[in-house]
């Protein structure tokens, strides 16, 4: 993790974004509340132990509610705010990468809260391009 010996807000924000699994966990929980199994399934390359550590860390940072709502993980208000920024940064970054390579960017269609797990899983590879 980055050295946080600074008073700059951007440094703190980047320290969270720099953690490999944090942005993706925040992204999926911004779509809808998820139980551990469904969240783990959406994060294909993370072990159960690592996911537990990530959830604990994000709860300590008050980004995921420490109170499980009906067995699901829920973002706090500030967690939702950060997740929206992550999505915007991811889309902006992908569009800039494409432009720099001379590739036309496609319109981004994000999953929504009404989708069931099977539908969300279809988005997993698409989300990896952005988040």
């Amino acid at each position: 993790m980055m050295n946080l010996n600074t008073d700059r807000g951007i440094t703190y924000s980047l320290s969270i974004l720099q953690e490999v699994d944090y942005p993706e966990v925040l992204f999926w929980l911004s779509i809808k509340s998820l139980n551990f199994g469904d969240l783990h399934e959406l994060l294909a390359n993370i072990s159960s132990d690592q996911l537990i550590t990530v959830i604990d860390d994000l709860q300590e940072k008050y980004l995921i509610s420490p109170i499980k709502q009906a067995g699901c993980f829920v973002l706090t208000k500030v967690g939702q705010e950060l997740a929206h920024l992550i999505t915007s940064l991811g889309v902006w970054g992908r569009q800039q990468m494409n432009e720099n390579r001379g590739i036309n960017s496609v319109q981004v269609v994000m999953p929504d809260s009404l989708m069931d797990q099977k539908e969300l899983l279809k988005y997993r590879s698409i989300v990896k391009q952005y988040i």
Side-chain angles (χ1 to χ4, degrees):
M1 186 173 212
M2 290 178 60
N3 184 353
L4 294 179
N5 292 333
T6 183
D7 291 332
R8 295 173 46 194
I10 192 72
T11 303
Y12 180 76
S13 301
L14 292 174
S15 73
I16 293 171
L17 295 177
Q18 168 181 319
E19 294 293 330
V20 176
D21 301 311
Y22 288 16
E24 198 171 359
V25 168
L26 291 169
F27 170 81
W28 285 114
L29 290 178
S30 74
I31 302 301
K32 66 191 278 184
S33 301
L34 296 164
N35 65 37
F36 185 86
D38 287 345
L39 181 58
H40 189 240
E41 190 174 28
L42 290 166
L43 303 163
N45 297 322
I46 185 172
S47 70
S48 292
D49 289 341
Q50 178 61 22
L51 181 56
I52 290 167
T53 300
V54 169
I55 289 168
D56 288 345
D57 289 349
L58 293 174
Q59 286 176 330
E60 286 177 19
K61 290 175 177 29
Y62 304 105
L63 298 171
I64 294 178
S65 175
I67 301 168
K68 291 183 184 176
Q69 188 178 56
C72 292
F73 296 101
V74 178
L75 292 182
T76 63
K77 183 177 179 183
V78 295
Q80 279 286 348
E81 290 171 359
L82 182 56
H84 290 300
L85 291 171
I86 288 168
T87 301
S88 296
L89 283 169
V91 170
W92 179 86
R94 174 50 67 177
Q95 289 172 340
Q96 296 308 305
M97 290 168 55
N98 287 347
E99 272 189 37
N100 292 336
R101 295 177 182 153
I103 301 170
N104 290 329
S105 292
V106 297
Q107 182 179 6
V108 180
V109 178
M110 292 300 202
D112 67 51
S113 62
L114 298 177
M115 293 180 167
D116 62 20
Q117 184 69 5
K118 185 176 179 180
E119 292 173 304
L120 289 177
L121 286 168
K122 293 176 186 177
Y123 276 90
R124 191 169 48 189
S125 63
I126 296 167
V127 168
K128 281 286 191 188
Q129 296 177 41
Y130 297 93
I131 309 299

